[in-house]
Amino acid sequence: MSFGGFLGIGESYHPLPWRSLTYDTRMGGYVVDADRARLERAPRYMSSNLPDWNDRTYRSRVDEYWMTR
């Protein structure tokens, strides 16, 4: 999920574990049960500073935040 920015500049990305998403056929996409404030506090990264997805510590931090372990 991404927030902010303009035309892709200054945008931040907030990774969500698949287990935290539910597909809603009425909306035609995935939904997450979280308010905007919770999403904005979530772990994030910028396109200029991509995380190392092989780093278990980073992945665990994302899972712990969303309580999906």
Side-chain angles (χ1 to χ4, degrees), residues 34-54:
D35 61 21
R36 184 178 183 98
R38 180 157 170 79
L39 290 169
E40 289 175 343
R41 289 189 308 267
R44 73 183 82 189
Y45 63 91
M46 306 288 281
S47 61
S48 60
N49 189 22
L50 298 175
D52 177 2
W53 295 110
N54 293 315

Side-chain angles (χ1 to χ4, degrees), residues 18-60:
W18 282 107
R19 292 170 285 191
S20 69
L21 302 173
T22 304
Y23 191 81
D24 186 326
T25 55
R26 290 175 292 150
M27 294 186 76
Y30 288 93
V31 296
V32 62
D33 185 22
D35 61 21
R36 184 178 183 98
R38 180 157 170 79
L39 290 169
E40 289 175 343
R41 289 189 308 267
R44 73 183 82 189
Y45 63 91
M46 306 288 281
S47 61
S48 60
N49 189 22
L50 298 175
D52 177 2
W53 295 110
N54 293 315
D55 179 358
R56 289 184 183 186
T57 303
Y58 181 78
R59 291 191 334 251
S60 291

